[in-house]
Amino acid sequence: MILTVTLNTALDITYRVRELRPHGSHRVSEVTERPGGKGLNVARVLAALGHEVTVTGFTGGATGRVVRDRLAGTPGVLDALVPVAGPTRRTIAVVDELTGDTTQLNEPGPTVTSAEWSAFQEAYEGLLGGASAVALCGSLPPGVPVGAYAGLVRTARAAGVPVLLDTSGEPLRRGVAARPDLVKPNAEELAELTGSHEPLGGARDARRRGAHAVVASLGAQGLLAATPEGEWHATPPARVHGNPTGAGDSAVAGLLSGLVERLPWPDRLARAVALSAATVLAPVAGEFDRAAYEELLGRVAVTGDASAA
């Protein structure tokens, strides 16, 4: 079982409009709702790849009930979310059909009490006993300590469970110091962490700060990996156009599935890049186009040197 942690779960709502105009009134042509937050997105892709996944984090209020109801209909995903008094947040994506651009509005999430945080930590420790790997994903809701991910990384390491960290800002900086097995920042997050705007230099610096391996997302330029086994750059065969919502989460799912399947690094990176591109191409935000994924997988270019570590 793979465990994903989403401390700031969400109900993702996507509106499609013909053209988004500031200060204007818009007729919505389509509305979709689905459970969201980075770890829930990762779990959905992992389940589609054939892995058993348990999701945990916080959920509350009427929005939280909708999230749990929708999760119940997702094959391969087990709900182990921890209830809180505050309402689960909503994220609103407005897709401009004319340009393909997406405008995102993200609510902050519920305020988590110290008692609720303690209840989560207890639940998390129990879930680690059956986990082959764990992904810690996304932002922290109000009330959760800024060093929360660092503590969760240490707990996973003490249990002997490989841990992937995907967050940003101060939670990332503190989490890296706790020595996670893998971190997956984007280029901006990596630069903020290390002060380096050169991705390979930044990835190497992040490893010196404590991360065992670093995979940096470079957008259309694919993924850059700095690991103990070597350094690689994986790129898609061509630039893809569509909705990028969830593409990074699909990359995390590819990396995590490759870890538990013990794939060589080039194969993990190729899978992650192909899944990310196939997510951009999917008609529904946050899903991936399986036919596109299978077609792209064999055409991802991976260059690098296993002796570079």
Side-chain angles (χ1 to χ4, degrees):
M1 176 269 287
I2 298 175
L3 177 65
T4 72
V5 174
T6 313
L7 295 178
N8 213 2
T9 57
L11 179 66
D12 287 347
I13 304 170
T14 302
Y15 295 137
R16 300 185 70 89
V17 299
R18 184 180 181 278
E19 181 182 4
L20 184 61
R21 302 180 309 278
H23 316 298
S25 177
H26 299 79
R27 185 177 297 278
V28 176
S29 61
E30 182 182 357
V31 181
T32 58
E33 293 184 348
R34 63 181 179 84
K38 294 179 73 64
L40 269 62
N41 297 339
V42 171
R44 191 164 39 246
V45 176
L46 285 169
L49 293 172
H51 290 274
E52 293 185 358
V53 191
T54 297
V55 297
T56 191
F58 295 115
T59 186
T63 307
R65 288 193 292 274
V66 175
V67 167
R68 301 191 88 155
D69 287 346
R70 297 294 175 88
L71 275 178
T74 306
V77 176
L78 178 65
D79 175 359
L81 293 165
V82 175
V84 293
T88 294
R89 66 186 178 131
R90 297 162 298 178
T91 65
I92 311 297
V94 183
V95 179
D96 185 320
E97 295 176 335
L98 196 63
T99 64
D101 293 336
T102 301
T103 299
Q104 193 84 15
L105 302 173
N106 297 327
E107 296 179 355
T111 298
V112 176
T113 67
S114 58
E116 290 166 341
W117 175 235
S118 296
F120 169 79
Q121 290 175 288
E122 183 177 350
Y124 173 72
E125 289 186 35
L127 290 166
L128 285 173
S132 56
V134 57
L136 308 174
C137 302
S139 62
L140 301 178
V144 172
V146 70
Y149 281 136
L152 298 180
V153 168
R154 294 187 187 100
T155 301
R157 287 179 55 80
V161 179
V163 55
L164 181 155
L165 177 62
D166 182 16
T167 188
S168 60
E170 185 65 11
L172 174 61
R173 188 185 70 80
R174 297 196 186 195
V176 164
R179 307 186 67 80
D181 294 270
L182 175 62
V183 296
K184 195 216 71 67
N186 60 33
E188 181 180 345
E189 292 162 349
L190 185 62
E192 182 182 2
L193 173 68
T194 65
S196 173
H197 291 274
E198 195 282 303
L200 181 56
R204 289 171 175 170
D205 187 14
R207 288 197 62 214
R208 287 191 291 269
R209 292 168 183 259
H212 187 69
V214 179
V215 176
S217 175
L218 307 180
Q221 283 72 52
L223 296 174
L224 177 72
T227 81
E229 291 79 23
E231 296 172 347
W232 291 272
H233 185 194
T235 54
R239 188 181 185 92
V240 296
H241 299 278
N243 188 346
T245 302
D249 302 329
S250 290
V252 168
L255 294 169
L256 201 58
S257 63
L259 184 156
V260 299
E261 295 172 29
R262 301 183 184 276
L263 296 181
W265 271 105
D267 293 344
R268 299 185 202 183
L269 295 168
R271 176 182 290 182
V273 167
L275 280 170
S276 181
T279 300
V280 174
L281 293 170
V284 177
E287 307 293 341
F288 74 94
D289 185 315
R290 182 171 291 275
Y293 162 65
E294 293 173 353
E295 191 275 332
L296 287 164
L297 183 59
R299 298 198 296 125
V300 173
V302 183
T303 58
D305 186 355
S307 67

